[in-house]
């Protein structure tokens, strides 16, 4: 019996992780990837530490499309986007007129960066969510040589790039709609400690309740209008206000979508022959934009596609803030979880805190400092043990 034809749309980390898992399980599975880009494989999280580590964007590419195709025996079709999915015929059509049949189709279409009001079409405003985004930013930065950069957003990506830019000598201003950075992930005291560290590096911090309400271009400057009616002029702006799944094709194809493509616990969409993973997928009712959940999705979906259904399960997966001069790691509680942070250890260099739900169980933690980071395993085990006792 011929093996099933598995077609993956996309070539980011999610797509390649799934393809690699498929090949680890089966040497004969037919796997094709179709991507609108060049198909280079690279770890996206490293983009926000390139300047600090004194590396170039090309240094983080671990494989070209040709290399990945040969090593894992994949058919990688580059520079073609999928424009239509015929679910009844189980066939897709690309922008170059290529028609491909599938037994199973996997959406690994990634995410788009959220934009500011009025941002579209303005030069000097960037989001960095891919290697091509970074190339575009760096080319403009080399050409225009800005002394200052304004970052809008104080989540993980904003903080990591702020640290990276500051370490490279840029003047950095950050506009946040929260009092402290990482407010949805760590306790207030830790956010204050992170902010103090960045201010010592030179960060200028502006906390404005509703952030940026409009943006415009004046000569070679970007003018940001804030909700408190003040205006900020900047040479260059980096927008880091979150991601949203790329679901346009999935919606046109009639798949159920919310903030991403809705999947069951096996990664299966509303069509039993179509799966989704990574930034574009909603699994267990949530979008997960970290690498660890993506890896769990890839492992389970690969098994399911090859005839051994395995539900996607998320163990305790600490995230790491890529800020080498001040290590931070956390397991954030679910946004729907009621409870409060409790600081358990605090000195000038290290901080440990646990998030307790209304039953008093530890369901999250946050660690800051080199010594505290050594406690990740014990905190993770604590969450797992209390979960087993439920």
């Amino acid at each position: 019996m011929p093996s099933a034809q598995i077609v993956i749309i996309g070539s980011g980390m999610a797509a390649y992780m799934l393809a690699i898992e498929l090949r680890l399980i089966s040497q004969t599975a037919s796997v094709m990837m179709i991507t609108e880009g060049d198909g280079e494989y690279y770890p996206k999280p490293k983009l926000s530490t390139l300047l600090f580590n004194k590396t170039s964007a090309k240094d983080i590419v671990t494989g070209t499309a040709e290399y990945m195709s040969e090593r894992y025996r994949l058919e990688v079709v580059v520079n073609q986007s999928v424009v239509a999915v015929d679910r009844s015929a189980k066939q897709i059509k690309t922008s170059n007129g290529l028609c491909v049949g599938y037994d199973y189709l996997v959406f690994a279409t990634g995410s788009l960066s959220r934009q500011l009001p009025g941002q579209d079409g303005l030069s000097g405003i960037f989001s960095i969510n891919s290697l091509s985004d970074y190339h575009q930013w760096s080319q403009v930065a080399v050409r225009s040589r800005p002394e200052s950069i304004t970052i809008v957003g104080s989540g993980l990506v904003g903080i990591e790039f702020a640290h990276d830019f500051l370490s490279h000598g840029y003047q950095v201003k950050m506009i946040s709609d929260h009092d402290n950075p990482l407010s949805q992930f760590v306790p207030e005291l830790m956010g204050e400690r992170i902010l103090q560290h960045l201010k010592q590096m030179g960060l200028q911090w502006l906390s404005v309740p509703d952030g940026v309400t409009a943006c415009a271009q004046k000569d070679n400057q970007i003018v940001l209008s804030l909700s408190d009616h003040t205006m900020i002029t900047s040479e260059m702006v980096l927008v880091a206000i979150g991601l949203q799944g790329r679901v346009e094709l999935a919606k046109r194809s009639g798949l159920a979508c919310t903030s991403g493509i809705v999947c069951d616990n096996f990664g299966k969409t509303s069509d039993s022959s179509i799966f989704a993973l990574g930034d574009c997928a909603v699994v267990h009712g949530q979008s997960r934009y970290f690498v660890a959940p993506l890896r769990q999705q890839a492992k389970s979906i690969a098994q399911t596609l090859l005839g051994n259904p395995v539900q996607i399960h998320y163990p305790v997966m600490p995230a790491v803030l890529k800020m080498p001069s001040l290590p931070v790691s956390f397991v954030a509680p679910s946004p729907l979880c009621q409870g409060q942070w409790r600081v358990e250890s605090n000195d000038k260099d290290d901080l440990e805190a646990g998030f307790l739900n209304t039953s008093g169980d530890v369901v999250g933690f946050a660690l800051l400092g080199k010594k505290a980071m050594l406690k990740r395993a014990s905190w993770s085990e604590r969450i797992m043990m209390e979960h087993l006792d439920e």
Side-chain angles (χ1 to χ4, degrees), residues 30-81:
S30 175
V31 183
M32 173 186 283
M33 294 174 60
I34 301 178
T35 175
E36 63 187 9
D38 57 17
E40 288 184 330
Y41 183 42
Y42 64 94
K44 187 169 77 170
K46 289 190 175 182
L47 291 173
S48 58
T49 58
L50 289 175
L51 297 177
F52 182 88
N53 292 322
K54 296 181 172 61
T55 55
S56 66
K58 66 178 182 180
D59 292 330
I60 67 170
V61 175
T62 58
T64 63
E66 182 179 9
Y67 170 83
M68 299 299 288
S69 176
E70 291 178 357
R71 179 172 181 180
Y72 296 104
R73 296 187 303 286
L74 314 171
E75 185 176 355
V76 183
V77 179
V78 300
N79 301 318
Q80 294 194 48
S81 57

Side-chain angles (χ1 to χ4, degrees), residues 74 97 288 348 363:
L74 314 171
R288 301 283 190 111
K348 65 183 183 66
V363 294

Side-chain angles (χ1 to χ4, degrees), residues 171-233:
Q171 299 172 25
V172 181
K173 185 177 296 181
M174 176 168 282
I175 300 171
S176 174
D177 54 4
H178 297 281
D179 291 334
N180 291 295
L182 305 183
S183 58
Q184 73 252 55
F185 300 122
V186 303
E188 182 178 355
L189 180 60
M190 190 170 293
E192 291 174 353
R193 193 80 66 86
I194 293 168
L195 179 55
Q196 180 185 21
H197 179 75
L198 291 171
K199 283 183 174 180
Q200 289 173 347
M201 293 180 68
L203 179 71
Q204 299 178 57
W205 172 267
L206 287 84
S207 178
V208 184
D210 294 313
V212 177
T213 57
C215 50
Q217 196 153 22
K218 184 177 181 182
D219 299 324
N220 294 323
Q221 302 283 312
I222 298 296
V223 181
L224 301 175
S225 300
L226 308 185
S227 61
D228 62 358
H229 305 296
T230 60
M231 303 182 79
I232 300 295
T233 300

